[in-house]
């Protein structure tokens, strides 16, 4: 007798092949961090002192959480400029992006030894905007390390902006020598005499 309900009959496997309608090519994504060295990489929570949507235009400001992620101090290998960069975890959205300005003054939070407060000109949203940030670290030790590294970065930026020499660069020195020789050669050249007037 046959088995009731067709039990025991193996199901046929589908051998159909589907070709995607659109072929997607792999695209290289650049973070603009490829030419920078990491001076500091530390997890933190960022706050912004600003108006809420409900208080827009009222002038009433308060601390609003901007995101959690990795706070970085990055130094560009060529220009040697140093910036603060922080991306929100998961979405990787930039929530802080500003130059380490020597004028920035890190202030401790009165009630928390893990938090630093400072004002800066931030460029995280595409426009240069004056912001007041507060960054809360996981421990007082992390907060201390951040300040120490930040002060070192400010010292380096002060020297850079003052025109102090950076790391020795033989190629740059050779190019400078070549320009000096070229300038000296130009100085020794005499102006070509004007053509003599023809006799009348």
């Amino acid at each position: 007798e046959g088995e009731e309900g067709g039990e025991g009959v193996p199901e046929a496997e589908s051998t159909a092949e589907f070709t995607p309608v659109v072929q997607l090519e792999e695209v290289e994504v650049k973070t603009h961090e490829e030419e920078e060295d990491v001076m500091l990489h530390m997890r933190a929570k960022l706050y912004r002192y600003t108006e809420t949507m409900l208080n827009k235009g009222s002038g009433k400001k308060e601390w609003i959480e901007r995101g959690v992620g990795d706070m970085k101090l990055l130094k560009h290998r060529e220009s040697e400029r140093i910036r603060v960069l922080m991306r929100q975890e998961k979405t990787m959205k930039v929530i802080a992006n500003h130059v380490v300005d020597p004028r920035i003054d890190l202030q401790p939070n009165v009630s928390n030894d893990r938090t630093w407060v400072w004002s800066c000109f931030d460029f995280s949203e595409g426009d240069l905007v004056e912001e007041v940030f507060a960054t809360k670290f996981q421990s007082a030790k992390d907060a201390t390390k951040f300040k120490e590294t930040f002060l070192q970065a400010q010292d380096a930026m002060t020297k850079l902006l003052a025109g102090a020499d950076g790391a020795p660069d033989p190629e740059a020195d050779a190019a400078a020598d070549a320009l000096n020789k070229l300038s000296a050669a130009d100085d020794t050249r005499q102006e070509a005499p004007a053509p003599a007037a023809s006799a009348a």
Side-chain angles (χ1 to χ4, degrees), residues 47-97:
Y47 296 86
R48 179 185 182 195
Y49 191 64
T50 187
E51 297 174 346
T52 63
M53 292 295 291
L54 295 176
N55 293 328
K56 202 73 174 176
S58 68
K60 183 180 179 182
K61 297 182 178 181
E62 57 186 272
W63 288 110
I64 300 174
E65 183 179 329
R66 195 163 195 185
V68 177
D70 292 325
M71 173 71 73
K72 296 180 183 179
L73 288 180
L74 302 173
K75 182 176 183 179
H76 196 277
R77 297 189 189 104
E78 185 176 342
S79 68
E80 297 187 0
R81 288 182 174 271
I82 305 169
R83 65 172 174 149
V84 171
L85 179 71
M86 186 172 181
R87 294 180 184 273
Q88 190 173 33
E89 64 180 5
K90 297 182 181 178
T91 65
M92 299 306 291
K93 177 184 176 183
V94 176
I95 55 177
N97 181 22

Side-chain angles (χ1 to χ4, degrees), residues 3 6 15 34 37 39 43 45 65 74 78 83 86 90 100 114 121 139 148-149 152 164 168 173 184 186 188 194:
E3 297 184 10
T15 57
E34 293 80 11
D37 292 323
M39 296 179 63
R43 185 175 173 80
K45 181 181 290 187
E65 183 179 329
L74 302 173
E78 185 176 342
R83 65 172 174 149
M86 186 172 181
K90 297 182 181 178
V100 176
R114 296 182 295 156
F121 288 99
S139 66
E148 290 173 351
T149 309
Q152 291 171 7
D173 292 341
D186 288 341
T188 58

Side-chain angles (χ1 to χ4, degrees), residues 19-38:
T19 303
V21 178
V22 179
Q23 295 289 341
L24 298 178
E25 296 181 3
E26 186 174 339
V27 178
E28 182 182 0
V29 178
K30 292 188 177 181
T31 63
H32 302 290
E33 300 174 40
E34 293 80 11
E35 298 179 357
E36 296 173 301
D37 292 323
V38 180

Side-chain angles (χ1 to χ4, degrees), residues 84-166:
V84 171
L85 179 71
M86 186 172 181
R87 294 180 184 273
Q88 190 173 33
E89 64 180 5
K90 297 182 181 178
T91 65
M92 299 306 291
K93 177 184 176 183
V94 176
I95 55 177
N97 181 22
H98 67 83
V99 173
V100 176
D101 191 321
R103 297 170 296 180
I104 292 175
D105 184 20
L106 294 181
Q107 293 290 331
N109 187 304
V110 178
S111 60
N112 193 319
D113 62 357
R114 296 182 295 156
T115 304
W116 294 108
V117 179
W118 71 92
S119 60
C120 62
F121 288 99
D122 184 67
F123 196 71
S124 59
E125 296 183 352
D127 294 314
L128 204 59
V129 179
E130 187 172 4
E131 297 280 11
V132 179
F133 287 142
T135 304
K136 184 177 181 180
F137 296 92
Q138 293 182 310
S139 66
K141 183 179 179 180
D142 284 353
T144 300
K145 183 178 180 181
F146 173 79
K147 183 177 183 180
E148 290 173 351
T149 309
F150 193 90
L151 292 177
Q152 291 171 7
Q154 284 185 306
D155 185 53
M157 285 293 290
T158 298
K159 293 176 181 178
L160 181 66
L161 294 174
D165 291 335

